[in-house]
Each structure stands twice: as C-alpha cells, then as structure tokens.
C-alpha cells in the first residue's frame, strides 16, 4: 500500500466515526473526499466530480419528480385515504393481524417509498390497531418498519434510478429484472416477523395494556375513505408498469407518470392548483437537497478514493477474487447502515466507486448494484439509529432498541438469502 492509501484508510475510518456520531452526512462525505483529493495533489478531481454529479440529468428527473409527487400526495391527503382504505378490513384477525398488516404496509410502501414517510403515514394507524388487538407495541412498530422492502418495486426509490443509469437500463426494466428478489424478500420478512413475534411472545389475548398508555398517537383517518383519493398515490406506478408492458414504444418517463399523478390528484381532490404546483416544486427541491445531495457527496467521496489509488487497487484485487466483490456489496453497505442508521450513504458510495467496474470481475453492474442497495436497506432496518425506526419508537412509546431487537434478526436472514440466491 502507498502512503496515500494509508491516509485514505484513516480518512475513511474518520468519516465512518463522524457518521456514527450523526454529523451531517453530505458534509462528512464531501469533506472526506476533498481531503483525500487534496492529499493526493489532485484537488480538481473532487470538484469535477461534484460538477458531474450535480448535473446528472436522468437522476435529477426521476428522483426530483418522484419527491415532488410525494409532496402533492401529502398535501391532498390522498395518502391518508389509501391507508384508511387498506387498514379498515384488518380488525379482529387475532395473530393473523400481523401478516395482514405487513401485506398492507408493503403495498402502501410502493406508493410511499420513504421509510420515515411511510412510518409517519401508516404508523399512527397500524401500531395502535395491533396493540389494541393484543400485540406488544415493539412488535407492532417492527411490523411497520419491517415492511419497507417492497418499496424497491417503486420507480420513486432513488437507488433504482441510480443503478439503472449505471447499467444503461430503463428504471422500470431494472425494477422488473429484480422484482422476484424484492417480492421474495418481502414475503420472507412477513413469515420471519411472525416467527419473531412467537419467539418473543409478543401476542396475548389480554394485550399489553400498561405499555399501550405510552403510545403517542394523534393522527385520525377518515371514516369513509374516498376511493378516488386512495387511488392517486398508486397511479404513477400503475402507469409506468402498464406502459412498459403494453406500450413500450411510448417510453414513458418517471417524471411524466408523476406529473399525470399530480394532475389526477388536483382533479379528484379539487385542491387549489397553485398550492399543488408550489408543493410539487417544493418537493422537487427537497428531493434534490436530500437525495441528490447524498449522491453528489458520495461521488466526491468516491473521487477522493480514486485519487488516492484505493479504487484501482480494490478493483484489481476483486478482478482475481470475484466472490469478495459480491460479499463486499452485501456486507459493506449493511454494516455501514447498521452503525450509522443510513443505508443511502453506504450504498451510493459503494455503487459510485465499485459497481461500474463489476464486469471486470465477472459480475453484472445491475446485479451488484441491486445487492448493495438492498443490503443497505436491510442494515438501515436493523439499526436503532435509523430515522424511520426512531419515528416508529416515538409512536409506539418504546425504545428504538426494542424494535431493532425484532427487526435485526429478520433483516440478517434476508441479507443471507439475497446474497445466496442473487
């Protein structure tokens, strides 16, 4: 190893420590990347990468439009009607309420693919529903948090757009290619969560009344959900899937589907178009700041590693050890997300630095990228530091560690399964 590689190792360890301490993710990644580039006497590499990532057209279009539509759905309360519609038939199912709730939350996650957003929308309904039916608040919260994996069927997930770009695929084609793994992991999560519930004895007919008093629930759902409202969050996904199957010549973009969904929401809810337009663009700006910001920062970090010679050395090593590349894609993002609570930073950094070279060590770009992204997701859902976990803990009135004790074993088994079968 050269001295720059040793410096890069120290800087990377420092970056991980800063992320664990909950310092601003983008600041940490950009600072670390710039520092490594400066030490390598190539500071312009970091700045050029910043410029390149900043103007990545296909990513900006897909990610920002999806976030804009999510903001519109929230403004018009269409997400609330979707939750009300799907949770209404779930009462009085006994222990079968757990898998039923996970199926419902999994479906909703396709329309609301943000862990924090999903928990905030669904948690105030599903968690009290399960607790009143006899479930421990921690397993009720774990049920919601553990259902997010199905969101990887959504074009609104930033990792899908990012990896599809690397692999020169359409977003919907990439999602379809790995839908079997996503659906399989989601079904396995439901089965495993039931097993965890039985192991922890988290269901009893008399309930956990003393713990239910700690719940923090304020959201109210409409008594009679409007079907037209409830349909709005799912419309862009349905449009993209139908277009890819029956009318591929149209080449429907994510942004077009999101705009159609926003127009539909205006029409059925009769919300002021000016308010919806402002909210849509506010959501787009938020998407650029929060999601594109991490992608940009991860790119600068990867450029710093490149300048120090770490990427070249790592790729050369992986070229002669194919299984190590696959293992690294599974364990690296998982462990980083587990200790930091953020699956995005780890997965984007790995996919920016290593995944483009996948073919050099006998793997496909899309397969390696998917493994890294889904591993980061499993790590985040195992971490008590994750934003969605903390929100769920607040609603349920329990410690995030109590929830993580129930989700972590499930996610670890899913990680092993995806690694073996992908």
């Amino acid at each position: 190893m050269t001295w720059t590689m040793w410096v890069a190792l120290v800087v990377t360890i420092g970056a991980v420590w800063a992320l664990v301490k909950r310092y601003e993710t983008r600041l940490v990644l950009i600072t670390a990347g710039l520092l490594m580039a400066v030490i390598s006497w190539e500071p312009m590499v970091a700045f050029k990468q910043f410029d390149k990532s900043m103007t990545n057209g296909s990513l900006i279009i897909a990610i920002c439009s999806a976030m804009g539509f999510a903001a519109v759905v929230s403004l018009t309360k269409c997400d609330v009607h979707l939750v009300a519609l799907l949770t209404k038939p779930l009462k009085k199912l006994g222990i079968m309420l757990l898998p039923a709730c996970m199926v419902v939350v999994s479906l909703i996650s396709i329309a609301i693919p943000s862990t924090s957003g999903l928990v905030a929308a669904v948690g105030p309904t599903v968690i009290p529903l399960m607790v009143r039916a006899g479930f421990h608040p921690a397993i009720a919260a774990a049920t919601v948090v553990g259902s997010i994996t199905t969101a990887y069927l959504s074009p609104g997930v930033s990792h899908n757009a990012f990896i599809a770009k690397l692999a020169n695929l359409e977003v919907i084609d990439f999602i379809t290619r790995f839908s079997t793994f996503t659906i399989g992991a989601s079904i396995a999560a439901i089965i495993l969560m039931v097993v965890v519930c039985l192991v922890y004895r988290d269901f009893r007919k008399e309930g956990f009344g003393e713990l239910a008093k700690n719940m923090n629930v304020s959201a109210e759902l409409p008594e009679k959900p409007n079907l037209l409202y409830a349909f709005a969050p799912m419309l862009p996904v349905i449009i993209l899937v139908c277009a890819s199957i029956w009318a591929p010549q149209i080449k429907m973009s994510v942004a077009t589907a999101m705009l159609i969904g926003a127009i539909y929401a205006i029409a059925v809810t009769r919300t002021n178009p000016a308010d919806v337009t402002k909210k849509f663009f506010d959501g787009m700006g938020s998407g650029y700041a929060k999601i594109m910001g991490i992608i940009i920062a991860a790119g600068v970090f990867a450029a710093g590693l490149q300048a120090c010679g770490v990427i070249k050395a790592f790729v050369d090593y992986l070229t002669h050890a194919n299984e190590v590349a696959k293992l690294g894609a599974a364990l690296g993002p998982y462990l980083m997300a587990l200790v930091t609570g953020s699956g995005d930073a780890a997965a984007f950094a790995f996919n920016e630095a290593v995944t483009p070279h996948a073919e050099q060590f006998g793997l496909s770009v899309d397969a390696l990228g998917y493994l890294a992204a889904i591993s980061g997701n499993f790590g985040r859902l195992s971490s008590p530091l994750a934003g969605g976990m903390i929100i769920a803990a607040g609603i349920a009135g329990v410690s995030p560690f109590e929830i993580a004790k129930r989700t972590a074993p499930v996610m670890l088994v899913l990680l092993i399964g995806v690694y073996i079968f992908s």
Side-chain angles (χ1 to χ4, degrees):
M1 287 179 63
T2 64
W3 71 272
T4 55
M5 291 184 187
W6 283 109
V7 171
L9 177 61
V10 172
V11 172
T12 300
I13 292 172
V16 172
W17 175 85
L19 291 172
V20 171
K21 290 293 184 179
R22 314 292 287 173
Y23 287 105
E24 217 292 319
T25 302
R26 292 160 293 188
L27 173 64
V28 171
L29 292 175
I30 289 176
T31 302
L34 184 58
L35 180 59
M36 287 186 286
V38 169
I39 289 171
S40 303
W41 299 101
E42 295 185 62
M44 291 307 297
V45 168
F47 292 114
K48 288 178 180 178
Q49 181 59 47
F50 187 92
D51 292 349
K52 180 181 177 182
S53 300
M54 226 182 127
T55 55
N56 195 325
S58 60
L59 286 183
I60 294 172
I61 290 171
I63 292 170
C64 293
S65 62
M67 291 295 288
F69 177 69
V72 170
V73 166
S74 177
L75 173 69
T76 56
K77 304 297 182 184
C78 290
D79 54 345
V80 175
H81 284 266
L82 176 62
V83 172
L85 178 67
L86 294 180
T87 56
K88 195 173 182 180
L90 297 180
K91 299 175 181 178
K92 298 182 180 179
L93 289 178
I95 195 170
M96 293 307 296
L97 179 62
L98 191 155
C101 282
M102 288 195 74
V103 169
V104 168
V105 178
S106 295
L107 293 174
I108 296 173
S109 75
I110 300 173
I112 310 175
S114 159
T115 305
S116 298
L118 178 69
V119 173
V122 178
T125 302
V126 172
I127 293 174
L129 175 66
M130 291 186 65
V131 172
R132 293 189 192 107
F135 289 90
H136 191 287
I139 195 68
T143 295
V144 175
V145 173
S147 302
I148 189 65
T149 299
T150 317
Y152 280 74
L153 295 175
S154 169
V157 172
S158 54
H159 295 283
N160 289 338
F162 187 77
I163 301 165
K165 171 69 174 176
L166 291 177
N168 293 318
L169 294 171
E170 293 293 328
V171 175
I172 200 67
D173 292 336
F174 170 76
I175 294 171
T176 302
R177 184 170 297 185
F178 294 95
S179 60
T180 303
F181 295 106
T182 303
I183 295 171
S186 301
I187 294 172
I190 295 172
I191 296 170
L192 291 170
M193 198 64 75
V194 173
V195 173
V196 168
C197 178
L198 294 174
V199 169
Y200 277 99
R201 298 180 181 178
D202 278 339
F203 175 77
R204 59 192 192 197
K205 292 181 179 180
E206 66 272 21
F208 297 82
E210 69 283 359
L211 294 175
K213 297 176 182 177
N214 297 324
M215 289 195 303
N216 180 22
V217 180
S218 58
E220 293 185 5
L221 296 180
E223 285 293 326
K224 296 182 179 179
N226 187 306
L227 293 178
L228 296 177
Y229 286 25
F231 181 66
M234 301 298 296
L235 181 59
V237 177
I238 293 172
I239 290 174
L240 287 167
V241 171
C242 291
S244 68
I245 296 174
W246 292 299
Q249 67 276 9
I250 296 178
K251 295 183 178 180
M252 178 70 65
S253 72
V254 174
T256 302
M258 297 300 167
L259 281 171
I260 293 173
I263 293 169
Y264 172 84
I266 293 174
V268 298
T269 64
R270 299 178 185 177
T271 306
N272 187 326
D275 292 339
V276 171
T277 302
K278 286 163 61 178
K279 199 68 176 178
F280 186 87
F281 282 99
D282 285 345
M284 287 182 64
S286 175
Y288 192 96
K290 294 180 180 178
I291 299 175
M292 281 302 300
I294 294 178
I295 293 174
I296 294 167
V300 174
F301 181 74
L305 291 173
Q306 182 82 47
C308 287
V310 174
I311 301 300
K312 184 179 184 304
F314 191 44
V315 170
D316 288 343
Y317 172 69
L318 295 179
T319 302
H320 300 93
N322 298 356
E323 277 303 307
V324 175
K326 187 176 178 182
L327 186 62
L331 282 182
Y334 175 82
L335 293 175
M336 177 73 86
L338 178 63
V339 298
T340 65
S342 172
D344 290 343
F348 280 133
F350 185 95
N351 283 331
E352 181 77 49
V354 180
T355 300
H357 308 281
E359 294 179 357
Q360 296 180 31
F361 31 88
L363 299 170
S364 65
V365 171
D366 54 346
L368 191 63
Y370 175 81
L371 180 58
I374 204 74
S375 298
N377 170 66
F378 294 150
R380 179 180 67 244
L381 300 183
S382 304
S383 174
L385 301 176
M389 190 80 74
I390 293 170
I391 295 172
I395 295 171
V398 296
S399 164
F401 289 93
E402 286 296 313
I403 304 174
K405 280 166 56 178
R406 290 157 171 83
T407 58
V410 173
M411 298 306 151
L412 182 58
V413 173
L414 294 182
L415 175 67
I416 295 171
V418 173
Y419 173 79
I420 292 173
F421 294 108
S422 65

